[in-house]
Amino acid sequence: MKVHQNKLSDVLNKGISKVYIIFGNESLQIQELVDQICETAHKHSYEMKETHLISKTTDWSFLTSKGENFDIFSSKKIIEVRLIESGPGREGARALQEYLKLNHDNEILIVTAEGLDTKSKSSVWSKSLEKVGIFVNISPLSLNNLPSWIISKGKENKIDIQQDAAILLAERTEGNLNATFQEIKKLSLLMHNQRIDIKKMGQAISNSTKYNIFDLSNSFISKNRKKSISILESLKVEGTQESLILWAFSRELSNLFKVKQNGSSAELWGPKDYLRMLER
């Protein structure tokens, strides 16, 4: 049964299902729904939980072997299967479908999938789970809707974030949901039960988000103009010497010239991600 993400709590209040499938692109949003399910399951005496992060070498016997040794007196358990950017593969798809045929009265299966493509979402294994369980496909949170989300999360964490302050935080974190939530948690600790206007938000962000000269270099070579300007402004406020900024730019221009001349970054030193950005 398909359920909207905002209606899951209503469905959980009506009773517990044996299978839940959650698809989404943000780990934070997925985890919030998993927490809701687990909280309800605990009320129904499901005390134990095991989590399996799926890879190409995963042994799926943790699913198929349980039904063969069913014990009416065994502990109630939650099994979470995490898929990240890829489906379960042939073996996993077969194991999930076999699982549904066995007796699992003392178990709840939660399958979460982060960043899965459209083809995987409409696959046989996915449809099989959806047919017997609760399916939630989380809608992406747009940048326009992020301030409302920030205000809502602020209330949950006992802080009253004003609209203009929420917009400022959304702009500063550039829509990164995890980074935004971390800032809300920090604000909750520093300003618990307080009203946060744009001035307080600006001060809090300024104190917690410090850029260094290497952040400027990375944003420059990754062609992120907006972020480069933001970092430059931050470095200026912090009193960074102009000579140091000029050194960073001249260094990156020199490295870019060497890469273009040699056709690779083989003669340069630095982290792999940095060298890859130079070669693009």
Side-chain angles (χ1 to χ4, degrees), residues 1-3 8-22 34 36-38 40-42 44 46 76-79 99-100 104-111 128-136:
M1 180 176 73
K2 289 184 178 179
V3 174
L8 179 61
S9 57
D10 295 336
V11 172
L12 289 169
N13 287 334
K14 294 177 182 177
I16 201 80
S17 174
K18 293 298 180 182
V19 178
Y20 293 89
I21 317 99
I22 303 172
V34 171
Q36 282 186 39
I37 296 167
C38 291
T40 302
H42 290 329
H44 289 79
Y46 288 86
K76 289 186 173 183
K77 182 184 294 186
I78 302 166
I79 302 174
Y99 177 90
L100 300 178
H104 298 282
D105 284 349
N106 283 3
E107 292 177 356
I108 292 174
L109 175 66
I110 304 174
V111 178
S128 298
L129 292 170
E130 181 184 337
K131 192 178 294 184
V132 299
I134 303 297
F135 173 76
V136 184

Side-chain angles (χ1 to χ4, degrees), residues 174-188:
E174 299 176 350
N176 185 313
L177 218 56
N178 286 313
T180 305
F181 190 63
Q182 286 174 9
E183 289 298 328
I184 293 171
K185 284 292 187 182
K186 290 177 188 175
L187 289 167
S188 178

Side-chain angles (χ1 to χ4, degrees), residues 43-44 147 154 178 235 243:
K43 294 176 182 177
H44 289 79
N178 286 313
L235 292 174
S243 58

